[in-house]
Amino acid sequence: MNVRFCKATLAVSLLSLSVGCAAPARYDYTAYRANRPASIVVLPPLNKSMEVAASYGVLSRATAPLAEAGYYVLPVALVDETLKQNGLAMPDDMHNAPPTKLREVFGADAALYMEVTKYGATYAILASDVTVTANAKMIDLRSGDVLWAGSASASTAEQQSQSGGGLVGLLIVAVINQIINTVADDRSTQMAAITNQRLLGAGQLNGPLYGPRSPKYQSD
Amino acid sequence: MTISIKTALRAVAAPGILLLATACVQQPRPLYYWGGYQEQVYDYFKNAGGGFEKQIIALEADTEKARATGAQLPPGFHAHLGLLYAQVGKENQVIQQLETEKTLYPESAKYMDFLIARYSGSGEKK
């Protein structure tokens, strides 16, 4: 009885250990390496969050990580304007535009289709966090291949240290945070910047590869 | 005996510190000078139809700072500044910025030509 119990426990703990240690699956970069885009047009993200500002909050922070990764990123405000002038009023319409048409107008090698699922503050009694969650898919506009896809998230909750103060301290922090979070949308754009860095920055597990303008091009 | 421990410690510590120092140095250097570019892009979307003069002043200041340090401005910067000039009716400066974008980033040529044709055509503002 005892021995059997021990065996069972051991088996379970070994199993959980192996699950815990299993490395996350590596993204398959075959198509990415075969196509190697140099320029990327980022379409205004679809907004699946409750916040109206989400799409453009994330879009305005998408250029830096991709450009620092070594890509030419087409100017996002001009691209948005051009799409609107061509009768595509909403991100949903823009995402449905034929890739060949995008290639024709923007001359970009690849397009990035993003979706924001969480954006902005969530209110609770003890904590009020600002979270931004997004995913992205990179499509080659020359071949139509899916080059890469990923998702990432960032939250102010990561930064708030729970150091002392007890319940009263926590309540004060929560109230202050709620004030800050309502007054400024700065925190949302800050979180959007971190989310985009985690999502679109090169040199990290399952992230985009380095582009031609990076000294690390083809090193990954 | 104590001396040999000290020596051993020192031998271990030295490469340790060196490693630490290189770890700090190897922080990748940004390719571009970003200044307030992304904030201004967000402002442009947020205040659709306004605040262009203020955004132009901010980006012109970034241009000066980048020039002073010899840093390169990021992809899209000059084209975006051109868009702002177009919004306030400074047509000559629009084309100049779009041309600069094209020179710095030949990848943009096709789209810049499209925009140049559009903005230089009939002197229309939008």
Side-chain angles (χ1 to χ4, degrees):
Chain A
M1 174 62 192
N2 230 346
V3 173
R4 195 185 288 171
F5 176 76
C6 277
K7 267 186 188 163
T9 318
L10 194 71
V12 167
S13 57
L14 272 177
L15 191 75
S16 63
L17 203 77
S18 65
V19 168
C21 291
R26 280 206 69 109
Y27 193 83
D28 178 4
Y29 290 102
T30 314
Y32 205 140
R33 291 205 168 92
N35 288 281
R36 290 279 180 195
S39 57
I40 298 173
V41 57
V42 183
L43 300 183
L46 300 180
N47 184 11
K48 299 285 161 84
S49 81
M50 304 294 284
E51 190 65 51
V52 188
S55 185
Y56 292 102
V58 169
L59 180 63
S60 64
R61 305 290 163 147
T63 306
L66 287 171
E68 289 293 338
Y71 295 98
Y72 178 74
V73 184
L74 280 88
V76 291
L78 281 149
V79 166
D80 179 64
E81 202 108 333
T82 300
L83 291 168
K84 282 179 177 157
Q85 280 160 9
N86 281 277
L88 307 173
M90 305 297 291
D92 298 77
D93 309 324
M94 300 170 182
H95 284 232
N96 287 327
T100 45
K101 191 77 191 161
L102 295 178
R103 169 92 177 140
E104 197 183 304
V105 174
F106 300 111
D109 295 337
L112 194 73
Y113 297 80
M114 296 182 79
E115 188 181 75
V116 191
T117 52
K118 276 187 192 158
Y119 192 92
T122 47
Y123 299 99
I125 295 166
L126 289 184
S128 164
D129 304 327
V130 170
T131 305
V132 174
T133 308
N135 58 63
K137 191 159 80 172
M138 197 190 290
I139 307 280
D140 193 278
L141 292 177
R142 302 161 297 188
S143 64
D145 291 350
V146 177
L147 302 184
W148 171 83
S151 67
S153 191
S155 172
T156 50
E158 297 167 36
Q159 301 169 336
Q160 287 155 16
S161 57
Q162 304 288 336
S163 57
L167 186 62
V168 176
L170 275 177
L171 277 171
I172 291 170
V173 170
V175 169
I176 291 171
N177 277 334
Q178 287 196 359
I179 293 168
I180 296 170
N181 292 343
T182 14
V183 166
D185 62 353
D186 280 8
R187 289 191 146 206
S188 296
T189 51
Q190 278 169 18
M191 288 308 115
I194 297 171
T195 301
N196 278 336
Q197 185 53 49
R198 288 174 180 171
L199 180 61
L200 307 174
Q204 51 193 0
L205 184 72
N206 293 345
L209 301 176
Y210 286 105
R213 287 185 169 271
S214 168
K216 291 181 185 163
Y217 184 48
Q218 291 185 331
S219 70
D220 51 6
Chain B
M1 188 59 193
T2 37
I3 291 166
S4 73
I5 287 172
K6 260 187 192 167
T7 327
L9 269 177
R10 220 172 272 161
V12 173
I17 288 167
L18 195 72
L19 243 165
L20 211 75
T22 34
C24 294
V25 170
Q26 277 179 346
Q27 188 67 245
R29 226 208 184 103
L31 297 178
Y32 308 107
Y33 175 80
W34 288 90
Y37 173 51
Q38 301 212 98
E39 286 83 353
Q40 296 310 320
V41 169
Y42 183 64
D43 249 31
Y44 180 87
F45 287 129
K46 204 171 70 173
N47 308 314
F52 302 129
E53 295 284 359
K54 220 179 91 194
Q55 293 162 28
I56 288 172
I57 290 167
L59 292 190
E60 283 176 346
D62 280 341
T63 311
E64 287 308 313
K65 276 181 219 154
R67 192 173 295 156
T69 55
Q72 188 171 343
L73 288 163
F77 185 101
H78 288 284
H80 185 77
L81 184 53
L83 170 68
L84 293 174
Y85 285 137
Q87 298 287 9
V88 298
K90 294 183 174 171
E91 268 84 20
N92 291 343
Q93 277 160 285
V94 179
I95 307 303
Q96 196 186 324
Q97 291 299 329
L98 296 176
E99 290 285 1
T100 308
E101 179 87 20
K102 195 172 135 179
T103 309
L104 285 175
Y105 300 102
E107 300 97 317
S108 73
K110 192 162 192 186
Y111 186 41
M112 290 306 120
D113 286 341
F114 170 87
L115 292 171
I116 289 165
R118 167 169 198 90
Y119 285 114
S120 58
S122 52
E124 56 180 350
K125 283 182 189 175
K126 273 198 106 180

